[in-house]
Amino acid sequence: MGGIRLGMSRIIAIGDIHGCAEALRALLRAIQPRPMDTLVLLGDYVDRGLHSADVLEILTDLVSHCNLVPLIGNHEIMMVNALKTKRDLDNWLENGGMATIHSYGGRLKNIPQHHIAFLNHCVRFFESEQHFFVHANYDPSLSLEEQPGELLFWSHILEDPPGPHLSGKKAIVGHTPQESHEIRELGHLAIIDTFCVEGGWLTAIDVATNRVWQTDNFGHLRTAQP
């Protein structure tokens, strides 16, 4: 049955996509999301990669196939702001936004309203009984509601990672690209941005079983059983 647990819902986190539409398609074919599943997207769907428009179209369609929980990443924040002011537009273009505009035929006005609505409905965080999910980073001493935006969306996790969260739940995050192209597993924290846009993998993990699916921009698949 391809590892699917029949009759049981899954919580599956997906790392930073960054316009890697072919990798996303292959990943979803492997996961086979069902209506009872919860897919938590960790943000950064757009920019840098070549096919951001396709990615957002795939994701807006996915809403009707499972319980989709899209977190907002810093690149979605920049994109949404860029649609409002010239200054924010310039900032976005300097940080990967040009690739996104090219994916819409080079014109901002080509961005469809349902893509903008999707971005506006992305959430700051998500939590389950044993895990919590944020785009970038967190303060272990603060509740999720109290987390500052600078940490949730912009701060990388480098040499000095945060400790276990006061909730006792394990953190699943993206944002910090792993140049090893492997998940950084710290026990209380897993970083699953495995740098698909730079020749690595797009990673998904079933947080209950630790089963991992990874795909690249050529649609190749590799899996890891717990």
Side-chain angles (χ1 to χ4, degrees):
M1 292 296 179
I4 291 179
R5 294 168 290 147
L6 296 179
M8 298 181 66
S9 60
R10 301 174 295 176
I11 300 177
I12 298 173
I14 298 178
D16 301 41
I17 301 168
H18 277 305
C20 296
E22 187 56 39
L24 178 59
R25 290 188 186 98
L27 194 66
L28 293 174
R29 286 195 298 268
I31 293 171
Q32 301 175 46
R34 301 160 296 165
M36 65 186 69
D37 292 332
T38 296
L39 263 60
V40 185
L41 311 175
L42 294 182
D44 282 4
Y45 317 120
V46 301
D47 297 352
R48 306 202 189 285
L50 300 179
H51 303 290
S52 292
D54 289 344
V55 166
L56 289 181
E57 188 63 25
I58 293 167
L59 297 182
T60 55
D61 178 69
L62 191 58
V63 170
S64 63
H65 295 281
C66 64
N67 178 29
L68 192 68
V69 181
L71 304 190
I72 192 164
N74 59 305
H75 283 268
E76 286 73 54
I77 291 172
M78 286 189 287
M79 181 175 176
V80 170
N81 289 340
L83 301 177
K84 301 175 183 177
T85 72
K86 177 65 166 59
R87 183 182 67 180
D88 288 320
L89 175 60
D90 291 341
N91 178 60
W92 182 44
L93 296 179
E94 292 173 1
N95 287 279
M98 185 62 72
T100 298
I101 292 178
H102 281 313
S103 76
Y104 287 102
R107 296 173 178 267
L108 282 175
K109 69 178 183 180
N110 290 345
I111 301 174
Q113 187 58 44
H114 67 284
H115 288 192
I116 297 172
F118 177 86
L119 297 177
N120 285 328
H121 282 87
C122 292
V123 298
R124 289 168 55 90
F125 62 85
F126 178 73
E127 61 181 322
S128 62
E129 289 186 5
Q130 296 181 326
H131 300 82
F132 71 92
F133 307 79
V134 297
H135 173 61
N137 204 339
Y138 65 94
D139 183 329
S141 67
L142 297 177
S143 70
L144 295 178
E145 292 80 4
E146 296 173 310
Q147 298 289 330
E150 177 64 30
L151 280 179
L152 286 185
F153 310 125
W154 301 93
S155 176
H156 287 93
I157 297 176
L158 301 172
E159 292 82 8
D160 188 23
H165 189 254
L166 60 82
S167 67
K169 298 178 180 182
K170 181 175 181 176
I172 310 293
V173 310
H175 184 64
T176 304
Q178 302 303 298
E179 295 185 0
S180 66
H181 302 162
E182 303 293 341
I183 294 172
R184 186 179 179 188
E185 176 58 65
L186 299 175
H188 67 284
L189 163 67
I191 305 172
I192 68 168
D193 178 0
T194 44
F195 225 2
C196 183
V197 72
E198 293 292 341
W201 300 94
L202 178 60
T203 291
I205 182 170
D206 181 330
V207 298
T209 67
N210 288 321
R211 181 177 182 183
V212 171
W213 301 262
Q214 294 180 311
T215 53
D216 65 14
N217 274 314
F218 300 99
H220 299 141
L221 170 70
R222 69 175 183 175
T223 61
Q225 298 286 355

